[in-house]
Amino acid sequence: MLFNSLIFLYFFLPITYLVFWRLRTRQQRYVWLTVTGYVFYSFWNYKFCSLMAISTLVSYFAGLGFLRWTAPRQRKLCLVLPIAFDLLLLGFFKYANFLLETFNQAVRLFQGAAQFPLLDIVLPIGISFYTFHTITYIVDAYRGVITPTRNFFEFSCYVSLFSQLVAGPIVRFREIEKDLENIDQADRRRGLNIGWSFLVIGMSKKVLLADSIAAIINPGLAQYDSLSTWSAWLCALGYAYQLYFDFSGYSDMAVGLGHLFGLRLPQNFHSPYQALDIADFWRRWHMSLSRVLRDYLYIPLGGNRGGNHAMYRNLMLTMLLGGLWHGAAWTFVFWGGYHGALLAATKMFGGYWARIPAAGRRAGTFLLVVIGWVFFRAESFAMAASLLGAMFSSKPGVTLTGASALVCLLALAAVLAHAGPNSFELKHDWKPAPALGFATLFVLCVAAIYGEHQSPFLYFQF
Amino acid sequence: MKSCTIRPLELGFLLPALLGCFFFLDVSSRLLPAAWFTFRPQEALGRFPLAEGPYSPGRSLFMPVTYGDLANLGNLPAYREYHSQIASSDAFGYRNSPELLRAGNIEVFLLGDSFSLGTSLNDQETISAYLNRMGFTRVYNMAGQDEIRPLPQVLEMARRLRSTGGVVIYQHLERKSTPTAESLLNGPAAHAGPFSRMRRMLRFAARDLRYYSPVKIVCQRMQRALQNDRIFPNPYREQVVVLPLRNGRPMLFPAADARGEAPRSCDPSGLVRFAEALRRHGFSFVVLLVPNKYTVYRPLLAQPPAAALVSPLSEIQESLQRAGITVVNPLPALQQAAREALSRGRLVYWQDDTHWNAEGSRLAARLLAEKLETPLARARVENTKGPAGTPPGPVRAPQVSRFSRRSPQTSQ
């Protein structure tokens, strides 16, 4: 089920909302949010609900283990076993075929004959996200940052909360613990207005902007090898804005839905295309993932504590794994490595970079990010090379259908992304005139949802 | 929990209220007449088909402006061929004139899909209407939009119409897989009783209420107007190809047909078993093969493809004829007629539609009539003997048709 679908807006959301606010106690609300989370998930594939339930149970019992045992050995066991289990699940469903395919390609490269047949595996939607939820919970409990909950439904509600279940933000338990504890004290009215404000902003970003851009660039990218320079640039810029408005739109909707139920989810995008350098970009883009990668991978690897070389190595490793997390393909690994290299370069040459005027740094950072998105979007290295080749040469070729409309959309997107405030910088306390503007946007969104089949959010596939 | 009073112009009230309005509009508009929103009568009449047939029973609908399915499918308004259309249904929801039921004495049942149903044609231009006007027998059109009428339904309809035998014509379209014996023989009877009728009514009412949404239709039309390959790319365009004919006139074809995608199955054994079962009940069996529009017009394209087209129709025809089934394959005649019509600037299929126009339908009816003589006579003789398991039918004097002077050309 998508947030931008009629079944969600007409049935799931009103029923979930009305029943939630009829329930009085914390426990009732935990149970209800858990149930609705599983119902929400089962609309995609009910068979994989059991996978999420098992992952939840394992992590919950690990949390109980931390409460019960104080001996380091037992605590380590509570840390390692459930994380290994979660990673095995993730590895099997997400990376098994990738590894087999890579092995087969390597064997073919060396003229070998052995070939493993690929497994018939469906990637459970959202597994990357809820696995990270449970892992961060276990690690935080081990470190003593949080006190694990004894209430199973509080924990299961945290893991399966429908608003952040399938594409984040990756909410750490510590970030939502207080709201979960006070879920029976939530301010319904305040949450209602803020929630709908975030919801409409997110929906407009996704349905009106990102999907419109996608409608023009996707047919162009399907014929990537015959694009002209102008078209290739339009596609690359279009994808950069599509991805941003699609994913930040989803995050805004998730935050808005959280507010409707009295839960404040963390910010996930802080105007990333206004970043001054790549390190700044990663502090602003998919912030919840960046924080997870920093706190649970980069710092445990040693961070910047072992000198420059160790820091560059750790940055590179972190970003390579971050790339791999996004998808089981070498183009994602390359994209991660590209950003790792840029981060290392920022550390190395940050002094020189800082001398450039802010506008130049913003433009330069954005250009580097757009080049990175080419690898992120490409289905193969050949596609990436072809697109970059067209972008950085003077090549005649196919003109995009709807190029004029795309230019207008990109201009609007550029103003919003580079000069506009992000949704967390707004007060969400709208006077009647802006409220009517929001109403118009909402009507347009619903009309657009009616008009075409709903397109899934890009980050669902990760 | 704190109190929740909220003013009308706050988002928390305004937006859920708007959503509620949309929902109300959507639900209530589903009860409005479908003809206000559909582009051709077929869809409007196809709502709530509460009897056996594909249409709502006992209705007649005139639409002054309609156009072809391919222009709609490919979102190509520039290629629309506007015309008016009248479509009616009898008391059973099939596309027949009410007079036919009153007259009785029905000997021929026509089964098939939208080609036999007469999609994009007026009531007087369907195959069954032409056959009836030719006057040598009475033909009952049992065609549906897409679904197969299985043996129990055919026999039940024959019983209702007090027909004790005759001929069943099965129309098969080139692009479709041949039906299996199970689908032809074991389908449910139309109505076993009042509960079955109610179940069927509820099922269709639920289906139509669920999937038919005027709000959705209106919103889609607004978006399609923008998806015109100028403002936005037209994503529907790939389902249809536009190819010029020899005289430069553009013609629309389903893309799958132009790509030469063959049906999954050309196994005629299901039809052979259907014929055997019908014979046991006193019916002769005739198969009418309908070629794809692309197959008919391929030789007349401005740039006909060099590669030969392998049509499954010949193979099916040979197999069925070997099994003793009368087959009408109008492909050569349609190609010839299309060539001649094109020289006069006319067509035998609609420019913007998958289906044939009145010319094509009339030609198919004429060819069918020529081949219908022998099986009809055979069925009449069989019925005078009284087929096993059915009461003997009334003895009727063979009617003289306008084609009886021609030498019968049986295909067996």
Side-chain angles (χ1 to χ4, degrees):
Chain A
M1 197 189 314
L2 302 170
F3 295 162
N4 54 330
S5 66
L6 295 176
I7 191 161
F8 178 83
L9 291 171
Y10 281 158
F11 298 103
F12 184 86
L13 180 58
I15 293 170
T16 307
Y17 181 82
L18 292 174
V19 174
F20 177 86
W21 289 105
R22 291 291 296 173
L23 301 171
R24 301 289 175 194
T25 65
R26 266 191 302 179
Q27 190 66 4
Q28 287 172 336
R29 289 182 174 181
Y30 292 152
V31 172
W32 179 242
L33 286 181
T34 302
V35 169
T36 52
Y38 277 86
V39 170
F40 182 83
Y41 197 76
S42 66
F43 267 79
W44 171 70
N45 190 334
Y46 69 91
K47 290 174 192 162
F48 287 110
C49 284
S50 54
L51 206 63
M52 187 165 67
I54 291 168
S55 183
T56 305
L57 272 173
V58 168
S59 307
Y60 171 70
F61 283 116
L64 291 186
F66 290 124
L67 288 175
R68 179 165 183 176
W69 292 306
T70 49
R73 202 173 149 196
Q74 288 163 321
R75 288 176 66 82
K76 209 144 223 167
L77 217 58
C78 287
L79 172 77
V80 172
L81 283 181
I83 290 182
F85 176 78
D86 281 338
L87 289 178
L88 268 176
L89 279 185
L90 183 65
F92 175 73
F93 282 102
K94 195 163 178 175
Y95 301 108
N97 274 339
F98 172 62
L99 291 174
L100 287 173
E101 182 63 34
T102 303
F103 176 80
N104 289 345
Q105 279 175 352
V107 167
R108 278 199 297 272
L109 194 69
F110 292 104
Q111 319 275 314
Q115 293 284 296
F116 285 107
L118 297 185
L119 304 173
D120 186 16
I121 302 173
V122 178
L123 175 65
I125 198 166
I127 191 171
S128 308
F129 289 92
Y130 70 71
T131 301
F132 269 31
H133 283 138
T134 51
I135 289 176
T136 55
Y137 174 79
I138 294 165
V139 175
D140 281 356
Y142 174 76
R143 287 175 178 169
V145 178
I146 58 163
T147 309
T149 177
R150 288 182 189 279
N151 187 328
F152 173 72
F153 284 107
E154 182 183 8
F155 181 66
S156 63
C157 152
Y158 156 69
V159 176
S160 65
L161 186 64
F162 71 87
S163 63
Q164 42 107 38
L165 178 57
V166 290
I170 302 168
V171 184
R172 289 180 288 181
F173 191 71
R174 58 172 116 151
E175 294 168 326
I176 202 175
E177 189 180 10
K178 199 169 272 181
D179 284 346
L180 282 173
E181 288 295 323
N182 299 319
I183 202 165
D184 53 342
Q185 303 292 321
D187 182 347
R188 182 180 177 184
R189 181 183 160 177
R190 180 171 162 71
L192 194 63
N193 285 330
I194 295 179
W196 277 99
S197 178
F198 267 108
L199 200 64
V200 173
I201 291 171
M203 198 184 279
S204 306
K205 281 180 175 179
K206 160 70 180 162
V207 175
L208 300 181
L209 210 44
D211 285 355
S212 301
I213 291 172
I216 299 174
I217 64 167
N218 282 346
L221 287 168
Q223 43 180 342
Y224 62 86
D225 48 356
S226 51
L227 291 176
S228 66
T229 298
W230 168 239
S231 300
W233 271 107
L234 282 180
C235 282
L237 288 170
Y239 184 68
Y241 290 118
Q242 183 208 347
L243 188 62
Y244 170 57
F245 285 106
D246 188 286
F247 192 23
S248 71
Y250 173 86
S251 296
D252 285 343
M253 291 174 84
V255 170
L257 290 167
H259 275 289
L260 291 183
F261 296 90
L263 300 168
R264 287 165 299 172
L265 304 188
Q267 184 175 9
N268 213 18
F269 288 88
H270 183 62
S271 307
Y273 291 160
Q274 297 176 19
L276 290 166
D277 57 44
I278 290 295
D280 189 25
F281 172 79
W282 279 106
R283 283 191 291 273
R284 293 161 173 262
W285 177 274
H286 203 175
M287 295 153 73
S288 59
L289 176 69
S290 300
R291 283 194 292 265
V292 167
L293 290 177
R294 183 194 63 199
D295 295 347
Y296 302 89
L297 193 58
Y298 177 68
I299 292 174
L301 280 172
N304 54 5
R305 293 190 298 271
N308 281 347
H309 282 98
M311 181 177 68
Y312 301 146
R313 182 201 63 203
N314 295 339
L315 276 174
M316 194 53 113
L317 269 175
T318 304
M319 293 312 291
L320 283 172
L321 287 170
L324 195 59
W325 177 87
H326 278 85
W330 285 109
T331 47
F332 286 114
V333 178
F334 184 88
W335 170 79
Y338 170 79
H339 273 278
L342 288 178
L343 283 170
T346 306
K347 297 280 182 195
M348 254 188 255
F349 307 111
Y352 299 108
W353 185 258
R355 289 180 206 160
I356 302 171
R361 277 184 283 161
R362 284 202 180 96
T365 305
F366 180 63
L367 178 67
L368 291 171
V369 169
V370 169
I371 292 169
W373 289 142
V374 172
F375 290 97
F376 194 83
R377 172 64 175 80
E379 285 145 23
S380 62
F381 285 109
M383 181 176 175
S386 179
L387 274 170
L388 288 171
M391 284 163 70
F392 293 101
S393 65
S394 177
K395 187 186 162 198
V398 172
T399 309
L400 290 182
T401 307
S404 312
L406 181 60
V407 169
C408 297
L409 287 166
L410 293 187
L412 174 64
V415 170
L416 293 173
H418 297 288
N422 64 64
S423 48
F424 272 78
E425 289 169 340
L426 303 170
K427 285 188 175 171
H428 300 283
D429 184 18
W430 304 106
K431 298 286 180 283
L436 289 175
F438 268 73
T440 310
L441 278 179
F442 185 60
V443 168
L444 287 174
C445 287
V446 177
I449 291 170
Y450 261 104
E452 61 183 353
H453 70 277
Q454 290 80 47
S455 68
F457 292 90
L458 288 175
Y459 257 69
F460 275 23
Q461 61 189 299
F462 306 136
Chain B
M1 191 176 66
K2 293 177 184 171
S3 67
C4 185
T5 49
I6 196 150
R7 290 188 295 276
L9 276 178
E10 286 185 41
L11 290 186
F13 178 89
L14 188 60
L15 300 182
L18 273 173
L19 195 60
C21 289
F22 253 109
F23 184 71
F24 175 76
L25 186 69
D26 188 354
V27 171
S28 55
S29 66
R30 287 171 196 240
L31 303 171
L32 295 174
W36 294 359
F37 301 99
T38 59
F39 73 101
R40 51 180 191 173
Q42 273 69 28
E43 279 72 28
L45 288 175
R47 280 199 85 201
F48 303 121
L50 302 178
E52 288 85 340
Y55 290 163
S56 184
R59 286 194 59 197
S60 183
L61 182 63
F62 172 71
M63 209 172 258
V65 181
T66 176
Y67 52 89
D69 57 2
L70 291 175
N72 183 61
L73 184 72
N75 190 27
L76 299 165
Y79 293 102
R80 285 178 192 168
E81 197 177 9
Y82 293 107
H83 56 98
S84 64
Q85 195 190 339
I86 184 160
S88 312
S89 60
D90 63 18
F92 297 108
Y94 290 109
R95 194 171 186 188
N96 296 290
S97 70
E99 291 78 32
L100 187 72
L101 285 181
R102 279 198 290 276
N105 196 24
I106 286 163
E107 287 186 300
V108 179
F109 293 86
L110 174 61
L111 311 181
D113 56 29
S114 54
F115 277 82
S116 297
L117 181 65
T119 298
S120 296
L121 296 174
N122 287 310
D123 284 340
Q124 298 305 310
E125 295 165 348
T126 63
I127 295 178
S128 57
Y130 279 125
L131 285 171
N132 281 322
R133 282 217 298 284
M134 288 171 188
F136 70 107
T137 187
R138 294 192 191 283
V139 180
Y140 189 77
N141 190 349
M142 272 187 78
Q145 199 64 270
D146 223 5
E147 67 273 37
I148 298 169
R149 305 283 151 187
L151 183 67
Q153 280 191 32
V154 178
L155 296 179
E156 190 182 323
M157 187 51 72
R159 184 183 59 75
R160 285 173 167 224
L161 299 176
R162 299 203 180 94
S163 171
T164 53
V167 177
V168 170
I169 304 168
Y170 183 89
Q171 174 252 307
H172 174 73
L173 179 61
E174 179 181 355
R175 100 167 52 88
K176 291 188 176 170
S177 296
T178 44
T180 59
E182 287 71 33
S183 64
L184 288 167
L185 299 175
N186 301 333
H191 295 313
F195 288 114
S196 156
R197 178 181 287 263
M198 194 171 290
R199 266 207 310 275
R200 182 183 153 89
M201 283 168 67
L202 288 174
R203 202 177 69 232
F204 279 120
R207 182 199 70 180
D208 285 341
L209 283 174
R210 182 175 172 193
Y211 293 112
Y212 165 77
S213 163
V215 176
K216 192 177 182 69
I217 291 171
V218 170
C219 291
Q220 271 177 342
R221 282 192 187 157
M222 289 193 300
Q223 286 196 16
R224 280 170 156 234
L226 295 174
Q227 292 166 328
N228 57 3
D229 273 341
R230 286 189 297 278
I231 302 174
F232 281 99
N234 178 2
Y236 308 97
R237 179 72 171 74
E238 62 190 24
Q239 299 178 63
V240 173
V241 290
V242 183
L243 299 171
L245 299 177
R246 275 181 194 167
N247 64 356
R249 184 172 183 170
M251 188 69 132
L252 275 61
F253 300 98
D257 291 354
R259 282 196 300 267
E261 287 176 12
R264 274 168 293 178
S265 164
C266 293
D267 178 13
S269 59
L271 289 170
V272 173
R273 284 186 57 193
F274 190 46
E276 288 164 1
L278 283 168
R279 200 170 294 142
R280 284 196 293 275
H281 289 89
F283 287 95
S284 293
F285 188 54
V286 174
V287 173
L288 168 65
L289 300 175
V290 174
N292 294 337
K293 181 184 182 181
Y294 183 75
T295 311
V296 173
Y297 274 96
R298 195 170 179 270
L300 302 175
L301 294 175
Q303 292 176 319
L309 179 76
V310 183
S311 167
L313 290 185
S314 313
E315 189 189 327
I316 295 171
Q317 182 180 9
E318 281 170 23
S319 306
L320 290 173
Q321 285 175 341
R322 273 201 300 275
I325 295 171
T326 306
V327 182
V328 178
N329 182 0
L331 176 60
L334 276 168
Q335 283 179 327
Q336 172 69 20
R339 192 175 300 115
E340 288 170 12
L342 195 65
S343 64
R344 300 192 306 273
R346 297 171 67 88
L347 300 168
V348 293
Y349 281 67
W350 294 103
Q351 173 190 300
D352 63 344
D353 202 301
T354 320
H355 302 95
W356 48 36
N357 59 17
E359 292 283 320
S361 175
R362 186 166 55 215
L363 178 62
R366 187 168 61 76
L367 294 170
L368 203 50
E370 287 172 5
K371 295 269 181 92
L372 217 47
E373 287 293 308
T374 307
L376 197 55
R378 192 191 307 137
R380 283 168 181 159
V381 171
E382 288 288 321
N383 286 339
T384 56
K385 294 177 192 169
T390 55
V395 180
R396 298 188 201 104
Q399 296 170 6
V400 180
S401 85
R402 57 195 282 195
F403 299 103
S404 61
R405 275 165 290 173
R406 296 184 183 185
S407 58
Q409 296 174 344
T410 50
S411 299
Q412 290 94 325

